[in-house]
Amino acid sequence: MNNYIIEKIKKEIENFSPKTEAEKTGVVVKVADGICEVEGLSDVMMSEMVLFDNKQGREVKEIIEDPSTIVGLALNLEEDVVKVVILGDTSKIKEGMTAKSTGKVLSVPVSSMYIGRVLDALANPIDGLGSIEAKQTREIEKKAYGVMDRSPVNTPLHTGIKAIDSMIPIGRGQRELIIGDRYTGKTTIAIDTILNQKNEPEDKRPICIYVAIGQKESKTARIVSDLKENGAMDYTIVISAPASSPAAYQFLAPYTGVTIAEYFMEKGKDVLIIYDDLSKQAVAYRQMSLLLRRPPGREAYPGDIFYLHSRLLERSAKLNEKLKGGSITALPIIETQEGDVSAYIPTNVISITDGQIFLNADLFNKGQKPAIDAGISVSRVGSAAQTKAIKKVAGKIKLQLAQFRELEAFMQFAQDLDPETKKSIEKGRRLAEILKQKNHSPLGFEKQVVSIYAAVNGLFDGVEVSKVVEAEKKLLDFVQTQHKDILDTIRKEKDLSESTEQKLQDAIKLFEESHKDIFTVNKKDVA
C-alpha cells in the first residue's frame, strides 16, 4: 500500500465524528403487515434496534425508558428507505412518526434467574410469576466460536431412550437433528431427553432450554405441565413464540434461546437446547422476507435460509478448558412431508448438523415407539460419545436391527424362508421389542446396559414376542431389588468390567430360574 493511501486513511480517521442527531432520526413513511418503511436513517446497521417515538424531541435514552416504546429491527437497508420489522403492536405505528436508531444490534437480557421460567421471544417472562431483573444484555447475533476455541465432543449426553443411546449416541456439544413427519414423536424424544437429565448428578446436569416455535399455546402449556410434574423445570427454561405471535417473534425465538445458552456455556456449564421446530422458523422467515420484498429463491424460500440456520446451529460447541469447558448441545427438529428427507429445508439442516435421528411414520403406525429408523439415522460423533458400558453391549445392535428391517420388507414377498432367515427375523423382532419405550419414561444408562446385554445374549429368545416388554420390566425390577450393587457399579464406573459382567450373568441365570413361566419358546428356533 503506497504512502498516499495510508495518509488519506489517517486523515479520514482524524476527521471521523460520531453520528449526528439528524443521521440517527428518521420518519415512518409507510406501515403494512408488520413492516414499516423509514426515510432518513442514513447510517443504520443491519439488525440494529430502531425505536419508534410518538412524542417529538426526546433523546434515545428517554425513549428506551418509556415502557410504551415499540422496538423495530432494521433488516432491509435500501438506497432511499430502511425497512424495519416491528416487534410489537403494529397498530401503534403511524405514518409520520419519528424513528430513532440506537447504534446497537438487537439484544436480549440474560440471567441465571431464567431457570424454571417461561419466556417470550425477547426473553420477557410470560408465566405470571413476576418480572426478572437481568443485569446483563447480549446481542442475539454473535459469531460462532472458532475451531481453536473448541475441544473434541467426547462426553455423552444420555437421552434415556435405549434406541438412541445404544445406536445413535449424542455427545455434549453435538448438533443432532430430529427429523420425521408430523405426529411421529419428535417432540416426545426431545422432552424425554430433558426429563432424563434428572438422572444425572446435579453438578453435571445440563441446563435445558426448550424453544417452541409456531406451536399451539395449549401444546406448550402441556409440555410445561409435564416438566413441572416430573421436577424437570428446576433446570429448564422454556421460550415460546406461538403460532399466534408475529412472524418476527418466531424468527427471533431460536436466536434468543441460543443467546441465553451461550451465557451459561461461557460460565463453564453444559446446556441442552431444543428448537421445536426449525421448519416453522423457516416459514416465518419466508413470510418476513416476502413482506420485505426480498426476492424468493429455490422453492419460494429466500436464498439465505441456509445461512439463517447455519449461523444458529454453528453456535453449538464444546469449549476448551481455557474457556471453562462449557458446551451447548443442540437438538433441532425438522418436519418432513411424507418422509421426504431430500426436500430443501431438511437437506439444508442435515448438512449443517452432526447426524440425524429419522422417525419413520410406517414404524410408528406399526406400534414401534420411538419409531427410529436405524438405517437412515446416524451420529457422526458415534461411539466417541458413548460410555464404555453401552459401547460394549450395543456394538452390533444397529447393524442387526437394520438387517432385520430389510429382511422384514423382503419377507412380505417371499413364500418360503430358509431356517436361518427365519431365525434372524425372530431375533430381530425381539430386538425391536426391547427398543420400545413408553412416553416420558426415560431409562438410566445403567438399566439400559442390563436390558441390552440381556437381549444381545439371548435371554429373551425364549419369550413370546408380545411378552418381551413385560419380561424386560420384570428383569429390571429383579436386578433393581435384588442386585442393586450391579447397577450402582455400572453407574459409578461407566464401564462393564469382567467381574461386573460375571455378576450380571449370574443375576440373569437366577432370573431365568425364578421366572420360568415367561420362557415358553424354544430358543433353538431363535438363536
Side-chain angles (χ1 to χ4, degrees):
M1 195 183 286
N2 64 44
N3 289 336
Y4 171 75
I5 295 172
I6 292 171
E7 288 302 315
K8 195 174 180 186
I9 291 170
K10 279 182 180 176
K11 219 169 211 179
E12 283 178 4
I13 291 170
E14 285 167 6
N15 294 335
F16 175 80
S17 60
K19 287 185 190 181
T20 63
E21 195 61 36
E23 286 173 318
K24 284 182 183 177
T25 308
V27 178
V28 176
V29 292
K30 188 178 176 183
V31 187
D33 301 313
I35 308 289
C36 70
E37 294 183 11
V38 180
E39 278 185 355
L41 292 180
S42 58
D43 204 19
V44 72
M45 294 186 290
M46 183 74 168
S47 294
E48 185 173 335
M49 285 190 287
V50 175
L51 306 176
F52 297 100
D53 188 16
N54 53 9
K55 296 173 187 172
Q56 297 295 323
R58 293 198 296 177
E59 292 290 321
V60 170
K61 197 175 179 184
E62 290 177 80
I63 302 169
I64 290 172
E65 287 169 356
D66 186 344
S68 64
T69 297
I70 292 174
V71 178
L73 186 64
L75 283 183
N76 266 31
L77 312 181
E78 297 174 10
E79 192 173 353
D80 301 317
V81 294
V82 173
K83 284 182 182 168
V84 179
V85 175
I86 301 161
L87 304 177
D89 188 352
T90 312
S91 64
K92 291 181 180 176
I93 308 298
K94 308 291 181 190
E95 289 179 20
M97 189 180 273
T98 303
K100 295 208 173 188
S101 62
T102 58
K104 288 185 176 182
V105 173
L106 182 64
S107 303
V108 292
V110 290
S111 169
S112 55
M113 300 294 288
Y114 284 157
I115 297 171
R117 302 296 299 270
V118 183
L119 315 172
D120 69 7
L122 296 175
N124 301 307
I126 53 171
D127 52 8
L129 298 176
S131 60
I132 297 169
E133 288 293 324
K135 295 178 181 176
Q136 194 179 338
T137 61
R138 292 173 72 103
E139 293 180 357
I140 63 164
E141 292 278 7
K142 181 178 176 291
K143 191 178 175 184
Y145 281 96
V147 175
M148 299 307 291
D149 294 326
R150 302 182 183 222
S151 65
V153 175
N154 52 23
T155 309
L157 184 130
H158 294 120
T159 64
I161 298 165
K162 288 172 283 186
I164 295 175
D165 291 342
S166 62
M167 298 189 294
I168 318 142
I170 298 170
R172 298 191 182 202
Q174 188 175 343
R175 301 155 300 176
E176 184 77 10
L177 172 64
I178 302 171
I179 185 167
D181 285 3
R182 186 175 291 191
Y183 304 126
T184 50
K186 302 184 296 296
T187 301
T188 301
I189 283 179
I191 297 304
D192 283 358
T193 303
I194 293 176
L195 296 180
N196 187 60
Q197 302 318 307
K198 202 171 182 185
N199 292 325
E200 296 290 327
E202 205 167 325
D203 59 326
K204 293 181 180 176
R205 183 182 297 157
I207 291 156
C208 301
I209 301 174
Y210 175 77
V211 186
I213 310 152
Q215 306 292 338
K216 289 179 184 174
E217 289 180 79
S218 58
K219 180 187 173 182
T220 306
R222 191 173 67 249
I223 286 167
V224 172
S225 175
D226 288 343
L227 292 172
K228 279 181 181 171
E229 276 179 34
N230 290 280
M233 277 305 282
D234 296 344
Y235 52 85
T236 303
I237 301 166
V238 175
I239 296 171
S240 177
S244 58
S245 64
Y249 278 46
Q250 294 176 50
F251 153 65
L252 289 171
Y255 288 96
T256 299
V258 78
T259 303
I260 294 168
E262 281 179 334
Y263 166 76
F264 288 110
M265 176 176 73
E266 287 170 9
K267 288 186 164 191
K269 297 181 185 292
D270 291 324
V271 183
L272 167 66
I273 185 163
I274 290 147
Y275 305 109
D276 188 8
D277 67 60
L278 292 187
S279 309
K280 291 185 174 70
Q281 190 206 19
V283 170
Y285 185 69
R286 174 173 63 176
Q287 184 184 327
M288 274 174 45
S289 295
L290 296 176
L291 289 170
L292 287 163
R293 299 288 184 269
R294 289 179 177 178
R298 179 178 163 187
E299 292 184 17
Y301 273 98
D304 55 352
I305 194 75
F306 179 88
Y307 180 50
L308 174 81
H309 286 153
S310 65
R311 73 179 191 261
L312 171 71
L313 293 168
E314 282 297 330
R315 289 165 73 175
S316 300
K318 186 172 192 294
L319 300 183
N320 59 31
E321 289 305 314
K322 283 183 184 175
L323 295 170
K324 299 184 182 177
S327 71
I328 296 175
T329 309
L331 296 182
I333 295 174
I334 288 286
E335 186 182 296
T336 54
Q337 307 292 326
E338 295 293 322
D340 183 13
V341 291
S342 63
Y344 184 50
I345 299 297
T347 49
N348 270 357
V349 185
I350 285 169
S351 64
I352 296 164
T353 49
D354 309 309
Q356 69 275 349
I357 297 164
F358 179 68
L359 300 177
N360 189 313
D362 291 337
L363 291 177
F364 186 86
N365 294 332
K366 283 179 189 174
Q368 183 71 41
K369 298 174 188 177
I372 293 168
D373 189 319
I376 298 177
S377 301
V378 66
S379 170
R380 295 189 185 100
V381 172
S383 59
Q386 267 180 321
T387 54
K388 288 179 181 177
I390 291 182
K391 199 187 298 186
K392 279 181 182 176
V393 299
K396 295 177 182 176
I397 200 168
K398 189 169 191 256
L399 181 63
Q400 286 176 355
L401 200 64
Q403 285 173 340
F404 161 64
R405 297 288 178 214
E406 292 292 328
L407 286 170
E408 194 180 33
F410 169 73
M411 188 179 67
Q412 294 172 359
F413 307 102
Q415 294 294 321
D416 295 314
L417 296 172
D418 62 272
E420 285 304 311
T421 305
K422 279 184 181 175
K423 284 180 183 178
S424 294
I425 287 169
E426 287 299 317
K427 184 94 174 172
R429 279 178 177 156
R430 284 160 177 78
L431 209 54
E433 285 293 310
I434 277 294
L435 295 177
K436 282 185 180 178
Q437 216 164 322
K438 286 183 180 177
N439 293 354
H440 304 336
S441 54
L443 214 57
F445 85 91
E446 65 280 3
K447 288 185 178 178
Q448 292 184 40
V449 170
V450 170
S451 179
I452 294 167
Y453 181 88
V456 170
N457 288 283
L459 172 66
F460 302 110
D461 292 354
V463 181
E464 286 283 350
V465 174
S466 60
K467 293 183 178 176
V468 166
V469 174
E470 184 191 337
E472 182 207 17
K473 187 179 183 305
K474 285 181 177 178
L475 171 67
L476 292 176
D477 289 344
F478 177 79
V479 175
Q480 174 75 42
T481 53
Q482 299 191 33
H483 300 274
K484 194 171 180 291
D485 58 310
I486 296 173
L487 295 174
D488 293 340
T489 306
I490 295 170
R491 192 189 302 117
K492 187 181 176 185
E493 295 179 353
K494 294 184 171 52
D495 198 353
L496 191 65
S497 62
E498 284 184 24
S499 59
T500 309
E501 187 177 355
Q502 187 58 55
K503 283 181 185 177
L504 183 53
Q505 284 175 359
D506 295 341
I508 288 170
K509 280 177 188 172
L510 287 170
F511 174 76
E512 277 190 280
E513 288 167 13
S514 58
H515 293 76
K516 286 180 180 176
D517 57 311
I518 60 173
F519 297 96
T520 56
V521 176
N522 188 346
K523 285 193 178 186
K524 289 180 182 177
D525 295 336
V526 181

